[in-house]
Amino acid sequence: MEKIEENGSTEEKQSLKEGSICGYNSLQHLLSENLKPQLYQEVSRLLLGLNCGKTLETIAVPESAKSLSSKHGFDLQAFKFSADKEVLREPRVVRVGLIQNSIALPTTAPFSDQKKAIFEKLGPIIDAAGASGVNILCLQEAWMMPFAFCTREKSWCELAEPVNGESTKFLQEFACKYNMVIVSPILERDINHGETLWNTAVIIGNNGNIIGKHRKNHIPRVGDFNESTYYMEGNTGHPVFETAYGKIAVNICYGRHHPLNWLAFGLNGAEIVFNPSATVGELSEPLWPIEARNAAIANSYFVGSINRVGTEIFPNPFTSGDGKPQHSDFGHFYGSSYFSAPDASCTPSLSRYKDGLMISDTLNPKSSLIPCYIRSLLKFQEREVGRSMRGFIVQC
């Protein structure tokens, strides 16, 4: 990775990778390369927290996964959350993976070619997850297409699929091959109800079966996020899905800004909540490392946060009614996917500009991760708030 001095030349600055931080692929990379080890350790403690009183342990991934990462140029990181050993219960370790990726072809390419190229790009990353023993894998929001909802152009609706459509069939093969649960966020076409479009996460079981789906229940109307042109708030409530490896939920993208959204999934029994997203730096990056981590602490579950990568240029410039000149892109999707735990610890983030796979071992039961005073508060919160919200929560 190229780094520049304060007086670096224009040519050097132009050579920096788009989306990097002064030539570094993440904030943690920048700090680790520029701080003395003792100082970096202290800064890391403040930024990432401690797990059982120490920094997170890394997981050794198999050589086959490393080889795929090197060959296909994606970031690969793996960590282990630990907990105090209990006498009467054995820990249930669940290995979870998150995939972030950029699109594979220009947005001017035929739609079928764009989707096929994304499938081909994701194949090796999913293979790396399978080789690493991942039990549950989650992809980013609308992973099978560009995030074209800024354009308000009808043609992008062609990429919508039924729940059992092309993208699901593609992932079902991997689910069966690796005995893996896969969360697949797509643009859904509801063929049974007037071909209504939804922003939907399909839950694929480890046998390739479709366990269920959840539809995004908070839709942004901010800046270029003109998503209500395509779909409205979902009608599935806050479902929790019973999988072979534990109870999971999906809080899609904008839902992370709503504390009661996180709470509802927790009250319904979620052990791991995924937040597949598509968000750009100008709007949300200061919030990104905070919201999911807060949710994990407040609701006593693990959170996997996934964001897409890259800058997607569209053929027709657009405006968004905010007084800004017309433009052809959303801005930079900054990746930075990571895991958070109930004890306030979290992993470093993936790259801001490269495709990536984040792997983490989570623990259930997880009560030994949570300080006693927080556990008491959670029980009170669950009893009191659950009583008032019970009629508004849909249990899967």
Side-chain angles (χ1 to χ4, degrees):
M1 176 63 63
E2 210 172 16
K3 302 181 282 291
I4 60 172
E5 303 297 328
E6 191 173 325
N7 60 350
S9 68
T10 302
E11 285 186 5
E12 286 176 312
K13 290 178 181 178
Q14 289 176 342
S15 71
L16 295 177
K17 186 72 176 178
E18 180 189 9
S20 68
I21 304 177
C22 301
Y24 298 90
N25 64 22
S26 68
L27 175 62
Q28 284 80 21
H29 185 209
L30 183 155
L31 294 172
S32 66
E33 291 291 319
N34 289 279
L35 296 178
K36 294 179 179 179
Q38 186 175 359
L39 183 56
Y40 173 69
Q41 184 178 4
E42 185 64 9
V43 170
S44 182
R45 179 185 69 82
L46 295 171
L47 290 177
L48 304 179
L50 297 178
N51 175 235
C52 292
K54 57 186 179 181
T55 56
L56 282 180
E57 299 177 39
T58 57
I59 297 171
V61 296
E63 287 300 322
S64 58
K66 292 179 183 177
S67 177
L68 287 166
S69 169
S70 177
K71 180 179 179 180
H72 297 279
F74 60 87
D75 189 8
L76 174 61
Q77 299 185 42
F79 298 91
K80 172 186 176 182
F81 289 101
S82 299
D84 293 336
K85 189 173 182 180
E86 297 187 8
V87 177
L88 299 179
R89 295 189 296 179
E90 287 294 320
R92 176 163 52 90
V93 178
V94 180
R95 182 161 292 185
V96 188
L98 312 175
I99 291 180
Q100 64 178 43
N101 63 276
S102 59
I103 57 175
L105 290 179
T107 59
T108 51
F111 289 163
S112 58
D113 291 349
Q114 290 189 52
K115 184 180 287 189
K116 181 181 178 183
I118 292 173
F119 286 5
E120 291 174 352
K121 170 182 267 207
L122 256 66
I125 309 179
I126 301 173
D127 282 330
S132 301
V134 167
N135 302 126
I136 307 175
L137 182 68
C138 186
L139 280 58
Q140 67 197 23
E141 183 181 20
W143 66 271
M144 26 62 78
M145 61 180 290
F147 206 74
F149 310 123
C150 52
T151 67
R152 303 193 299 279
E153 294 174 338
K154 184 178 180 181
S155 59
W156 296 103
C157 297
E158 290 185 42
L159 288 165
E161 306 176 11
V163 164
N164 61 348
E166 184 180 9
S167 296
T168 298
K169 288 181 170 64
F170 168 74
L171 293 176
Q172 282 174 318
E173 294 183 12
F174 289 100
C176 292
K177 180 179 180 180
Y178 294 114
N179 196 31
M180 180 193 295
V181 172
I182 302 179
V183 180
S184 172
I186 64 169
L187 180 62
E188 179 200 354
R189 183 185 303 279
D190 187 355
I191 58 177
N192 295 321
H193 298 89
E195 299 204 352
T196 303
L197 299 188
W198 305 95
N199 186 322
T200 301
V202 181
I203 315 302
I204 302 170
N206 57 309
N207 296 315
N209 55 308
I210 297 175
I211 296 175
K213 64 179 180 289
H214 173 55
R215 291 167 173 162
K216 184 174 181 176
N217 52 18
H218 289 280
I219 309 300
R221 298 165 183 85
V222 179
D224 290 332
F225 287 83
N226 300 307
E227 296 175 49
S228 57
T229 305
Y230 295 86
Y231 45 78
M232 296 300 287
E233 287 78 6
N235 58 1
T236 53
H238 297 82
V240 171
F241 303 95
E242 186 83 51
T243 76
Y245 305 109
K247 298 175 182 178
I248 66 172
V250 191
N251 188 9
I252 303 174
C253 197
Y254 198 65
R256 72 182 177 278
H257 301 314
H258 301 269
L260 291 181
N261 217 36
W262 293 107
L263 174 63
F265 291 119
L267 292 175
N268 281 343
E271 296 170 326
I272 304 170
V273 178
F274 295 99
N275 178 226
S277 301
T279 185
V280 294
E282 183 179 341
L283 281 172
S284 68
E285 195 162 12
L287 300 172
W288 181 252
I290 299 171
E291 289 176 303
R293 193 175 177 187
N294 283 352
I297 298 165
N299 298 288
S300 181
Y301 48 52
F302 291 91
V303 177
S305 304
I306 315 100
N307 186 27
R308 68 170 54 209
V309 184
T311 303
E312 302 173 357
I313 310 295
F314 295 95
N316 301 315
F318 53 86
T319 60
S320 296
D322 54 8
K324 295 182 179 179
Q326 65 176 10
H327 45 287
S328 300
D329 67 90
F330 245 128
H332 179 73
F333 295 103
Y334 53 82
S336 305
S337 304
Y338 71 105
F339 273 105
S340 305
D343 69 346
S345 63
C346 64
T347 68
S349 61
L350 289 175
S351 171
R352 289 187 87 257
Y353 63 85
K354 293 173 66 176
D355 297 345
L357 169 62
M358 174 66 76
I359 297 171
S360 175
D361 281 356
T362 64
L363 285 160
N364 285 294
K366 55 195 178 302
S367 61
S368 55
L369 267 174
I370 309 165
C372 290
Y373 71 90
I374 294 182
R375 227 175 296 158
S376 299
L377 181 62
L378 286 167
K379 287 179 180 177
F380 174 79
Q381 172 182 274
E382 187 170 325
R383 184 175 66 250
E384 296 302 314
V385 180
R387 191 176 293 156
S388 62
M389 291 187 64
R390 199 165 292 137
F392 299 93
I393 299 171
V394 178
Q395 180 81 34
C396 176

mmCIF file of all heavy atoms in Angstrom, residues 143-178:
data_model
loop_
_atom_site.group_PDB
_atom_site.id
_atom_site.type_symbol
_atom_site.label_atom_id
_atom_site.label_comp_id
_atom_site.label_asym_id
_atom_site.label_seq_id
_atom_site.Cartn_x
_atom_site.Cartn_y
_atom_site.Cartn_z
ATOM 1 N N TRP A 143 -27.253 -7.153 -3.098
ATOM 2 C CA TRP A 143 -25.908 -7.550 -3.543
ATOM 3 C C TRP A 143 -25.860 -7.901 -5.018
ATOM 4 O O TRP A 143 -24.791 -7.838 -5.652
ATOM 5 C CB TRP A 143 -25.424 -8.762 -2.728
ATOM 6 C CG TRP A 143 -26.215 -10.019 -2.960
ATOM 7 C CD1 TRP A 143 -27.332 -10.423 -2.297
ATOM 8 C CD2 TRP A 143 -25.954 -11.026 -3.941
ATOM 9 N NE1 TRP A 143 -27.792 -11.612 -2.794
ATOM 10 C CE2 TRP A 143 -26.957 -12.019 -3.810
ATOM 11 C CE3 TRP A 143 -24.966 -11.199 -4.926
ATOM 12 C CZ2 TRP A 143 -27.011 -13.156 -4.624
ATOM 13 C CZ3 TRP A 143 -25.013 -12.333 -5.737
ATOM 14 C CH2 TRP A 143 -26.029 -13.291 -5.580
ATOM 15 N N MET A 144 -26.987 -8.279 -5.618
ATOM 16 C CA MET A 144 -26.999 -8.814 -6.972
ATOM 17 C C MET A 144 -27.163 -7.754 -8.054
ATOM 18 O O MET A 144 -27.375 -8.081 -9.220
ATOM 19 C CB MET A 144 -28.121 -9.869 -7.107
ATOM 20 C CG MET A 144 -29.316 -9.746 -6.175
ATOM 21 S SD MET A 144 -30.314 -8.236 -6.331
ATOM 22 C CE MET A 144 -31.261 -8.620 -7.790
ATOM 23 N N MET A 145 -26.963 -6.483 -7.705
ATOM 24 C CA MET A 145 -27.170 -5.395 -8.659
ATOM 25 C C MET A 145 -26.471 -4.125 -8.175
ATOM 26 O O MET A 145 -26.077 -4.042 -7.010
ATOM 27 C CB MET A 145 -28.665 -5.120 -8.808
ATOM 28 C CG MET A 145 -29.353 -4.683 -7.516
ATOM 29 S SD MET A 145 -31.125 -4.348 -7.683
ATOM 30 C CE MET A 145 -31.109 -2.845 -8.670
ATOM 31 N N PRO A 146 -26.306 -3.139 -9.055
ATOM 32 C CA PRO A 146 -25.866 -1.826 -8.565
ATOM 33 C C PRO A 146 -26.947 -1.228 -7.664
ATOM 34 O O PRO A 146 -28.124 -1.565 -7.794
ATOM 35 C CB PRO A 146 -25.718 -0.994 -9.854
ATOM 36 C CG PRO A 146 -25.688 -1.978 -10.973
ATOM 37 C CD PRO A 146 -26.477 -3.159 -10.519
ATOM 38 N N PHE A 147 -26.550 -0.343 -6.764
ATOM 39 C CA PHE A 147 -27.539 0.298 -5.902
ATOM 40 C C PHE A 147 -28.094 1.509 -6.664
ATOM 41 O O PHE A 147 -27.731 2.657 -6.416
ATOM 42 C CB PHE A 147 -26.916 0.712 -4.571
ATOM 43 C CG PHE A 147 -27.920 0.797 -3.460
ATOM 44 C CD1 PHE A 147 -28.438 -0.349 -2.884
ATOM 45 C CD2 PHE A 147 -28.357 2.025 -2.989
ATOM 46 C CE1 PHE A 147 -29.378 -0.284 -1.864
ATOM 47 C CE2 PHE A 147 -29.294 2.105 -1.976
ATOM 48 C CZ PHE A 147 -29.802 0.949 -1.409
ATOM 49 N N ALA A 148 -29.009 1.192 -7.596
ATOM 50 C CA ALA A 148 -29.465 2.165 -8.592
ATOM 51 C C ALA A 148 -30.653 3.003 -8.133
ATOM 52 O O ALA A 148 -31.235 3.745 -8.932
ATOM 53 C CB ALA A 148 -29.844 1.417 -9.875
ATOM 54 N N PHE A 149 -31.009 2.928 -6.865
ATOM 55 C CA PHE A 149 -32.241 3.545 -6.401
ATOM 56 C C PHE A 149 -32.145 5.062 -6.301
ATOM 57 O O PHE A 149 -33.119 5.731 -5.953
ATOM 58 C CB PHE A 149 -32.658 2.924 -5.070
ATOM 59 C CG PHE A 149 -32.657 1.417 -5.123
ATOM 60 C CD1 PHE A 149 -31.894 0.667 -4.240
ATOM 61 C CD2 PHE A 149 -33.397 0.747 -6.081
ATOM 62 C CE1 PHE A 149 -31.873 -0.716 -4.302
ATOM 63 C CE2 PHE A 149 -33.386 -0.632 -6.159
ATOM 64 C CZ PHE A 149 -32.621 -1.367 -5.268
ATOM 65 N N CYS A 150 -30.965 5.601 -6.591
ATOM 66 C CA CYS A 150 -30.814 7.058 -6.675
ATOM 67 C C CYS A 150 -31.369 7.593 -7.983
ATOM 68 O O CYS A 150 -31.744 8.771 -8.080
ATOM 69 C CB CYS A 150 -29.334 7.434 -6.563
ATOM 70 S SG CYS A 150 -28.268 6.528 -7.727
ATOM 71 N N THR A 151 -31.433 6.760 -9.006
ATOM 72 C CA THR A 151 -31.710 7.244 -10.364
ATOM 73 C C THR A 151 -33.186 7.503 -10.628
ATOM 74 O O THR A 151 -33.527 8.315 -11.493
ATOM 75 C CB THR A 151 -31.223 6.212 -11.396
ATOM 76 O OG1 THR A 151 -32.019 5.014 -11.300
ATOM 77 C CG2 THR A 151 -29.754 5.866 -11.168
ATOM 78 N N ARG A 152 -34.055 6.789 -9.919
ATOM 79 C CA ARG A 152 -35.513 6.851 -10.141
ATOM 80 C C ARG A 152 -35.898 6.392 -11.549
ATOM 81 O O ARG A 152 -36.948 6.761 -12.063
ATOM 82 C CB ARG A 152 -36.069 8.257 -9.855
ATOM 83 C CG ARG A 152 -35.793 8.755 -8.462
ATOM 84 C CD ARG A 152 -36.616 9.999 -8.109
ATOM 85 N NE ARG A 152 -36.349 11.115 -8.978
ATOM 86 C CZ ARG A 152 -35.318 11.931 -8.865
ATOM 87 N NH1 ARG A 152 -34.429 11.753 -7.912
ATOM 88 N NH2 ARG A 152 -35.167 12.938 -9.704
ATOM 89 N N GLU A 153 -35.052 5.583 -12.173
ATOM 90 C CA GLU A 153 -35.326 5.065 -13.513
ATOM 91 C C GLU A 153 -35.988 3.692 -13.414
ATOM 92 O O GLU A 153 -35.516 2.804 -12.701
ATOM 93 C CB GLU A 153 -34.025 4.958 -14.318
ATOM 94 C CG GLU A 153 -33.392 6.312 -14.599
ATOM 95 C CD GLU A 153 -32.036 6.193 -15.269
ATOM 96 O OE1 GLU A 153 -31.385 5.124 -15.149
ATOM 97 O OE2 GLU A 153 -31.609 7.163 -15.901
ATOM 98 N N LYS A 154 -37.051 3.525 -14.159
ATOM 99 C CA LYS A 154 -37.841 2.302 -14.081
ATOM 100 C C LYS A 154 -37.080 1.076 -14.571
ATOM 101 O O LYS A 154 -37.315 -0.051 -14.088
ATOM 102 C CB LYS A 154 -39.127 2.461 -14.896
ATOM 103 C CG LYS A 154 -40.074 1.274 -14.801
ATOM 104 C CD LYS A 154 -41.353 1.513 -15.592
ATOM 105 C CE LYS A 154 -42.282 0.310 -15.491
ATOM 106 N NZ LYS A 154 -43.525 0.520 -16.266
ATOM 107 N N SER A 155 -36.148 1.262 -15.491
ATOM 108 C CA SER A 155 -35.485 0.112 -16.106
ATOM 109 C C SER A 155 -34.785 -0.788 -15.092
ATOM 110 O O SER A 155 -34.684 -2.002 -15.299
ATOM 111 C CB SER A 155 -34.459 0.594 -17.143
ATOM 112 O OG SER A 155 -33.488 1.432 -16.542
ATOM 113 N N TRP A 156 -34.326 -0.215 -13.980
ATOM 114 C CA TRP A 156 -33.608 -1.017 -12.995
ATOM 115 C C TRP A 156 -34.513 -2.041 -12.307
ATOM 116 O O TRP A 156 -34.036 -2.997 -11.698
ATOM 117 C CB TRP A 156 -32.943 -0.120 -11.948
ATOM 118 C CG TRP A 156 -31.880 0.755 -12.549
ATOM 119 C CD1 TRP A 156 -31.967 2.083 -12.852
ATOM 120 C CD2 TRP A 156 -30.574 0.340 -12.966
ATOM 121 N NE1 TRP A 156 -30.802 2.530 -13.418
ATOM 122 C CE2 TRP A 156 -29.926 1.475 -13.499
ATOM 123 C CE3 TRP A 156 -29.879 -0.871 -12.916
ATOM 124 C CZ2 TRP A 156 -28.620 1.432 -13.995
ATOM 125 C CZ3 TRP A 156 -28.592 -0.924 -13.424
ATOM 126 C CH2 TRP A 156 -27.979 0.223 -13.952
ATOM 127 N N CYS A 157 -35.822 -1.861 -12.436
ATOM 128 C CA CYS A 157 -36.759 -2.829 -11.869
ATOM 129 C C CYS A 157 -36.621 -4.208 -12.513
ATOM 130 O O CYS A 157 -37.069 -5.216 -11.952
ATOM 131 C CB CYS A 157 -38.198 -2.343 -12.020
ATOM 132 S SG CYS A 157 -38.566 -0.815 -11.137
ATOM 133 N N GLU A 158 -36.022 -4.240 -13.705
ATOM 134 C CA GLU A 158 -35.832 -5.528 -14.372
ATOM 135 C C GLU A 158 -34.972 -6.481 -13.544
ATOM 136 O O GLU A 158 -35.047 -7.697 -13.704
ATOM 137 C CB GLU A 158 -35.174 -5.320 -15.739
ATOM 138 C CG GLU A 158 -36.063 -4.663 -16.775
ATOM 139 C CD GLU A 158 -35.388 -4.609 -18.138
ATOM 140 O OE1 GLU A 158 -34.764 -5.625 -18.519
ATOM 141 O OE2 GLU A 158 -35.477 -3.573 -18.808
ATOM 142 N N LEU A 159 -34.155 -5.939 -12.666
ATOM 143 C CA LEU A 159 -33.265 -6.777 -11.857
ATOM 144 C C LEU A 159 -33.966 -7.382 -10.638
ATOM 145 O O LEU A 159 -33.372 -8.183 -9.921
ATOM 146 C CB LEU A 159 -32.049 -5.961 -11.411
ATOM 147 C CG LEU A 159 -31.053 -5.637 -12.534
ATOM 148 C CD1 LEU A 159 -30.093 -4.544 -12.107
ATOM 149 C CD2 LEU A 159 -30.294 -6.883 -12.954
ATOM 150 N N ALA A 160 -35.213 -6.997 -10.404
ATOM 151 C CA ALA A 160 -35.963 -7.582 -9.284
ATOM 152 C C ALA A 160 -36.265 -9.049 -9.566
ATOM 153 O O ALA A 160 -36.462 -9.454 -10.716
ATOM 154 C CB ALA A 160 -37.248 -6.804 -9.061
ATOM 155 N N GLU A 161 -36.312 -9.845 -8.498
ATOM 156 C CA GLU A 161 -36.512 -11.290 -8.626
ATOM 157 C C GLU A 161 -37.531 -11.776 -7.602
ATOM 158 O O GLU A 161 -37.650 -11.191 -6.523
ATOM 159 C CB GLU A 161 -35.208 -12.052 -8.337
ATOM 160 C CG GLU A 161 -34.011 -11.643 -9.130
ATOM 161 C CD GLU A 161 -32.771 -12.409 -8.662
ATOM 162 O OE1 GLU A 161 -32.925 -13.379 -7.884
ATOM 163 O OE2 GLU A 161 -31.661 -12.044 -9.081
ATOM 164 N N PRO A 162 -38.209 -12.882 -7.892
ATOM 165 C CA PRO A 162 -39.001 -13.521 -6.836
ATOM 166 C C PRO A 162 -38.074 -14.118 -5.778
ATOM 167 O O PRO A 162 -36.865 -14.278 -6.014
ATOM 168 C CB PRO A 162 -39.777 -14.610 -7.579
ATOM 169 C CG PRO A 162 -38.989 -14.876 -8.816
ATOM 170 C CD PRO A 162 -38.336 -13.570 -9.189
ATOM 171 N N VAL A 163 -38.614 -14.441 -4.626
ATOM 172 C CA VAL A 163 -37.809 -14.983 -3.528
ATOM 173 C C VAL A 163 -37.040 -16.224 -3.962
ATOM 174 O O VAL A 163 -35.894 -16.452 -3.533
ATOM 175 C CB VAL A 163 -38.716 -15.285 -2.311
ATOM 176 C CG1 VAL A 163 -38.023 -16.192 -1.314
ATOM 177 C CG2 VAL A 163 -39.128 -13.980 -1.639
ATOM 178 N N ASN A 164 -37.639 -17.040 -4.816
ATOM 179 C CA ASN A 164 -36.975 -18.266 -5.285
ATOM 180 C C ASN A 164 -36.333 -18.073 -6.652
ATOM 181 O O ASN A 164 -36.215 -19.013 -7.442
ATOM 182 C CB ASN A 164 -37.969 -19.426 -5.333
ATOM 183 C CG ASN A 164 -39.121 -19.153 -6.299
ATOM 184 O OD1 ASN A 164 -39.296 -18.025 -6.770
ATOM 185 N ND2 ASN A 164 -39.909 -20.176 -6.586
ATOM 186 N N GLY A 165 -35.888 -16.857 -6.932
ATOM 187 C CA GLY A 165 -35.351 -16.519 -8.244
ATOM 188 C C GLY A 165 -33.889 -16.904 -8.444
ATOM 189 O O GLY A 165 -33.303 -17.703 -7.700
ATOM 190 N N GLU A 166 -33.287 -16.282 -9.455
ATOM 191 C CA GLU A 166 -31.945 -16.647 -9.921
ATOM 192 C C GLU A 166 -30.883 -16.523 -8.822
ATOM 193 O O GLU A 166 -30.025 -17.402 -8.663
ATOM 194 C CB GLU A 166 -31.579 -15.756 -11.109
ATOM 195 C CG GLU A 166 -30.263 -16.082 -11.766
ATOM 196 C CD GLU A 166 -29.960 -15.156 -12.930
ATOM 197 O OE1 GLU A 166 -30.687 -14.159 -13.118
ATOM 198 O OE2 GLU A 166 -28.976 -15.425 -13.651
ATOM 199 N N SER A 167 -30.918 -15.436 -8.059
ATOM 200 C CA SER A 167 -29.906 -15.224 -7.023
ATOM 201 C C SER A 167 -30.033 -16.257 -5.906
ATOM 202 O O SER A 167 -29.029 -16.758 -5.385
ATOM 203 C CB SER A 167 -30.031 -13.808 -6.440
ATOM 204 O OG SER A 167 -29.756 -12.839 -7.427
ATOM 205 N N THR A 168 -31.258 -16.571 -5.527
ATOM 206 C CA THR A 168 -31.479 -17.585 -4.499
ATOM 207 C C THR A 168 -30.976 -18.941 -4.965
ATOM 208 O O THR A 168 -30.297 -19.668 -4.218
ATOM 209 C CB THR A 168 -32.973 -17.655 -4.130
ATOM 210 O OG1 THR A 168 -33.388 -16.394 -3.589
ATOM 211 C CG2 THR A 168 -33.230 -18.754 -3.108
ATOM 212 N N LYS A 169 -31.289 -19.297 -6.199
ATOM 213 C CA LYS A 169 -30.832 -20.588 -6.734
ATOM 214 C C LYS A 169 -29.311 -20.652 -6.764
ATOM 215 O O LYS A 169 -28.702 -21.695 -6.455
ATOM 216 C CB LYS A 169 -31.414 -20.808 -8.128
ATOM 217 C CG LYS A 169 -32.910 -21.115 -8.134
ATOM 218 C CD LYS A 169 -33.414 -21.333 -9.551
ATOM 219 C CE LYS A 169 -34.843 -21.882 -9.558
ATOM 220 N NZ LYS A 169 -35.818 -20.949 -8.978
ATOM 221 N N PHE A 170 -28.664 -19.542 -7.124
ATOM 222 C CA PHE A 170 -27.199 -19.476 -7.139
ATOM 223 C C PHE A 170 -26.631 -19.768 -5.756
ATOM 224 O O PHE A 170 -25.688 -20.555 -5.597
ATOM 225 C CB PHE A 170 -26.770 -18.088 -7.627
ATOM 226 C CG PHE A 170 -25.319 -17.769 -7.441
ATOM 227 C CD1 PHE A 170 -24.358 -18.352 -8.256
ATOM 228 C CD2 PHE A 170 -24.901 -16.873 -6.465
ATOM 229 C CE1 PHE A 170 -23.004 -18.051 -8.096
ATOM 230 C CE2 PHE A 170 -23.563 -16.566 -6.295
ATOM 231 C CZ PHE A 170 -22.606 -17.166 -7.109
ATOM 232 N N LEU A 171 -27.221 -19.166 -4.730
ATOM 233 C CA LEU A 171 -26.703 -19.322 -3.370
ATOM 234 C C LEU A 171 -27.103 -20.649 -2.743
ATOM 235 O O LEU A 171 -26.404 -21.160 -1.858
ATOM 236 C CB LEU A 171 -27.185 -18.165 -2.496
ATOM 237 C CG LEU A 171 -26.624 -16.787 -2.867
ATOM 238 C CD1 LEU A 171 -27.255 -15.704 -2.004
ATOM 239 C CD2 LEU A 171 -25.103 -16.752 -2.733
ATOM 240 N N GLN A 172 -28.221 -21.216 -3.174
ATOM 241 C CA GLN A 172 -28.646 -22.506 -2.609
ATOM 242 C C GLN A 172 -27.599 -23.590 -2.847
ATOM 243 O O GLN A 172 -27.404 -24.468 -2.012
ATOM 244 C CB GLN A 172 -29.988 -22.924 -3.223
ATOM 245 C CG GLN A 172 -31.175 -22.175 -2.623
ATOM 246 C CD GLN A 172 -32.484 -22.478 -3.334
ATOM 247 O OE1 GLN A 172 -32.534 -22.547 -4.575
ATOM 248 N NE2 GLN A 172 -33.547 -22.669 -2.573
ATOM 249 N N GLU A 173 -26.906 -23.521 -3.973
ATOM 250 C CA GLU A 173 -25.868 -24.513 -4.262
ATOM 251 C C GLU A 173 -24.733 -24.416 -3.240
ATOM 252 O O GLU A 173 -24.213 -25.435 -2.777
ATOM 253 C CB GLU A 173 -25.326 -24.299 -5.679
ATOM 254 C CG GLU A 173 -26.348 -24.571 -6.775
ATOM 255 C CD GLU A 173 -25.739 -24.426 -8.167
ATOM 256 O OE1 GLU A 173 -24.493 -24.333 -8.269
ATOM 257 O OE2 GLU A 173 -26.497 -24.411 -9.149
ATOM 258 N N PHE A 174 -24.346 -23.192 -2.884
ATOM 259 C CA PHE A 174 -23.295 -23.012 -1.885
ATOM 260 C C PHE A 174 -23.779 -23.438 -0.495
ATOM 261 O O PHE A 174 -23.016 -24.003 0.286
ATOM 262 C CB PHE A 174 -22.838 -21.550 -1.845
ATOM 263 C CG PHE A 174 -22.056 -21.119 -3.057
ATOM 264 C CD1 PHE A 174 -22.665 -20.395 -4.076
ATOM 265 C CD2 PHE A 174 -20.710 -21.432 -3.178
ATOM 266 C CE1 PHE A 174 -21.951 -19.991 -5.185
ATOM 267 C CE2 PHE A 174 -19.984 -21.034 -4.286
ATOM 268 C CZ PHE A 174 -20.605 -20.311 -5.298
ATOM 269 N N ALA A 175 -25.031 -23.140 -0.194
ATOM 270 C CA ALA A 175 -25.587 -23.524 1.110
ATOM 271 C C ALA A 175 -25.518 -25.032 1.291
ATOM 272 O O ALA A 175 -25.118 -25.532 2.356
ATOM 273 C CB ALA A 175 -27.024 -23.021 1.235
ATOM 274 N N CYS A 176 -25.883 -25.781 0.250
ATOM 275 C CA CYS A 176 -25.829 -27.242 0.321
ATOM 276 C C CYS A 176 -24.389 -27.743 0.352
ATOM 277 O O CYS A 176 -24.054 -28.661 1.104
ATOM 278 C CB CYS A 176 -26.567 -27.841 -0.871
ATOM 279 S SG CYS A 176 -28.355 -27.573 -0.872
ATOM 280 N N LYS A 177 -23.540 -27.145 -0.457
ATOM 281 C CA LYS A 177 -22.147 -27.581 -0.560
ATOM 282 C C LYS A 177 -21.404 -27.453 0.766
ATOM 283 O O LYS A 177 -20.624 -28.326 1.146
ATOM 284 C CB LYS A 177 -21.434 -26.768 -1.646
ATOM 285 C CG LYS A 177 -19.980 -27.129 -1.853
ATOM 286 C CD LYS A 177 -19.366 -26.293 -2.975
ATOM 287 C CE LYS A 177 -17.897 -26.642 -3.202
ATOM 288 N NZ LYS A 177 -17.297 -25.818 -4.291
ATOM 289 N N TYR A 178 -21.674 -26.336 1.480
ATOM 290 C CA TYR A 178 -20.904 -26.041 2.688
ATOM 291 C C TYR A 178 -21.714 -26.162 3.972
ATOM 292 O O TYR A 178 -21.236 -25.778 5.036
ATOM 293 C CB TYR A 178 -20.316 -24.634 2.587
ATOM 294 C CG TYR A 178 -19.276 -24.491 1.502
ATOM 295 C CD1 TYR A 178 -19.501 -23.672 0.398
ATOM 296 C CD2 TYR A 178 -18.069 -25.180 1.572
ATOM 297 C CE1 TYR A 178 -18.545 -23.539 -0.608
ATOM 298 C CE2 TYR A 178 -17.107 -25.051 0.583
ATOM 299 C CZ TYR A 178 -17.350 -24.233 -0.512
ATOM 300 O OH TYR A 178 -16.404 -24.110 -1.497
#
